[in-house]
Amino acid sequence: MSTRLRGRLVEVSSQTLLFDDGDERVRYFLPDSLPSPRAADFVELTVSESVHSTGLPVVESLSVLATPQGTGQPFPSPGGDYFRLNRDRRRQLLAKRGQALSSIRRYFAQHDFLEIEAPLVVPSPGLELHLQGFSVADAQNSHAPRYLITSPEYQLKRLLVSGLRRIYSLGKVFRSGEAGPHHNPEFTMLEWYRAYEDWRAVAQDVASLSAQLASELHGSPRFVRTVEPSSEVPTGKQIIDLSLPWPELTVRQAVLMHSGLDVRGDETSPELAAKLQAGGYRVPQPTLIDDEGQPFWAWDDLFFSVFLDHVEPKLCAPGPDGVYRPLILCDWPSPLCALARRKPGSPHVVERFEAYIAGLELCNGFGELCDPDEQRQRFVHDLQERKRRGLAAYPIDERFLAALAEGMPPSGGVALGVDRLLMLLLDASHIRQVLPFGIDEL
C-alpha cells in the first residue's frame, strides 16, 4: 500500500531527496524514471512500502505543487526563515513548547483555575523601579496615556475583588530594555492567584507544575541539561532534579551564609552602606547626585551590589552530590516590597519569594498586599523615586486602588517566566531558542 504525502524538498541529489512533511525530514530514493525536481519545491509524493537496496523508501510518483520565485538561490538560504528554524533543534523545541503550554493549561484546569485573557494595553505599566514600559500611540487621540502591559497583576487582582477565587493568565507581556540570553522585551508570563490562601500555596504550585512539566518532557523530574563547559561544570552537563519538596531559605539567612553580612531589612541606606564597608565590600557608585551635589545611594542598589555578585551565584550551585536542585528564597527586605504585604510580627520583611534553579530565577511571588492606603503610599514613594532617578513617571492606576478599597481577600500570587522555565527544561542556552522569533529576528 502506498502513502501520499505533501511537503517541501529540502535537498535533491542523485536518486535521493530530503523531504520535509511538516513533522519530520525523511530521505527517499528517487528512481531515474521520475522527473528531478529542485530543492525548495513544494511537492506531492506517493511513497511505496517497498525499500530500495540503499535502505531508503522508494518514491512511486512525484508532482510539483509550487516552485518558489526565489528558486535559483541556494536553499535553505542562510538568511531565510527555513534555515533559521531548522539549522539546529529549534523547530523541535517549538513543538515541545506547544506541548508544554497545553500541559500548563491542563494543570490549572485540574486545580479548578479559571483562565483570564488579560488586556495588553493598560493605563499604567507599573511603578516598580526596575520596570520600563512601552508607550502606545492612541488612535482615538485620547489624552490619557496607554502602555503595553508589563504584568497582568493589577487587572487580575481586580477580578479577585469581583469574587473570582482561583485565576491565571498565560500570555504576552512587554518590558523595554530587557534583551539578552535570558531576556526578550516581549515574553510569555504565567501569573496566577489563589484567594484565601497564602504565598506558600502558590509556591507549591510552582514546584508541582515544574516537576510535572519535567516528568512529561523527560519521563522524570530528574534530567540532564547541557551547558557551556566551565570550571564549575567541566563536563558541560548539569543534573537537574525538580523533585518535591523544594527547600526554603530566607534572604537574611542566604546573605549571612554567603557574604557574612546580617541584613535585617530595616536599615537606612547609610546604615547598609556602613555594613558593606565593615564587611570588606566595595560600596557601588552613587545612584545619583542630588541637587546640592551630594551623592545618594539607594537601598536597593546597595543590597544588590552584594546579592547579585556574592550571594545569588552560590544559591545556584550544585549540592555535594553534584545535583542542581531548586531553592525557594523568601522573606525579602521591606525596601524591596513591591506589592507584597509585610510579614506579621516582622514588619522589616515582606511575604515575597523567588525560585532559583541552576542559575535561573524562575518566578516572583507574594503574599498579596490588600491595604489600599499602604499600597497608595508605596506607589507615591516609587513614583517620586522614579522621578528622582530620571526614570519615566508612569500614572498611578486609580481603578486598581479603588478595587483594593472595595476589598480584596487575603491571597497568594506569583508570576513565572514561561520562556525561562522552558530554557531550563528544553536544554536551551538562549531565550530565542524557545521562541519563534527573538527581538533581533523581526
Side-chain angles (χ1 to χ4, degrees), residues 4 17 71 99 102 140 145 147 180 187 189 196 240 274 309 332 369 384 390 394 397 400 409:
R4 181 175 296 178
L17 52 82
T71 297
Q99 296 171 14
S102 296
Q140 297 182 1
Y147 304 88
F187 62 99
M189 178 178 284
Y196 305 102
I240 310 292
D309 292 337
W332 283 73
L369 178 63
Q384 291 172 342
Y394 301 127
D397 191 326
F400 170 58

Side-chain angles (χ1 to χ4, degrees), residues 277-403:
Q277 290 177 319
Y281 293 97
R282 183 182 63 85
V283 174
Q285 291 293 316
T287 305
L288 54 86
I289 304 298
D290 65 21
D291 294 339
E292 297 178 356
Q294 297 299 311
F296 166 75
W297 284 269
W299 203 99
D300 55 316
D301 285 346
L302 291 168
F303 174 82
F304 284 115
S305 71
V306 172
F307 182 82
L308 295 178
D309 292 337
H310 302 282
V311 179
E312 190 175 64
K314 297 173 184 176
L315 298 177
C316 302
D321 58 357
V323 177
Y324 291 79
R325 293 181 174 86
L327 175 69
I328 299 290
L329 195 64
C330 59
D331 288 3
W332 283 73
S334 61
L336 308 175
C337 57
L339 288 90
R341 74 169 190 156
R342 296 182 188 273
K343 184 176 181 179
S346 303
H348 55 285
V349 297
V350 293
E351 293 186 347
R352 174 184 174 185
F353 75 92
E354 293 185 356
Y356 290 86
I357 174 65
L360 291 175
E361 174 202 328
L362 294 182
C363 67
N364 189 22
F366 305 146
E368 302 296 344
L369 178 63
C370 299
D371 185 329
D373 295 331
E374 183 175 354
Q375 188 65 78
R376 181 179 292 278
Q377 291 171 6
R378 293 189 191 180
F379 280 165
V380 170
H381 173 270
D382 287 349
L383 184 56
Q384 291 172 342
E385 192 64 22
R386 291 186 71 90
K387 292 177 180 178
R388 186 180 188 185
R389 300 190 193 186
L391 302 174
Y394 301 127
I396 290 176
D397 191 326
E398 293 293 345
R399 286 191 171 179
F400 170 58
L401 290 176

Side-chain angles (χ1 to χ4, degrees), residues 211-223:
Q212 177 176 307
L213 289 174
S215 296
E216 292 180 2
L217 292 168
H218 298 285
S220 167
R222 186 181 177 112
F223 58 95

Side-chain angles (χ1 to χ4, degrees), residues 158-179:
R158 287 175 62 184
L159 295 179
L160 294 178
V161 172
S162 76
L164 299 181
R165 299 177 66 137
R166 292 186 179 185
I167 53 177
Y168 79 99
S169 170
L170 177 60
K172 295 295 186 180
V173 296
F174 308 84
R175 296 184 179 181
S176 178
E178 297 195 1

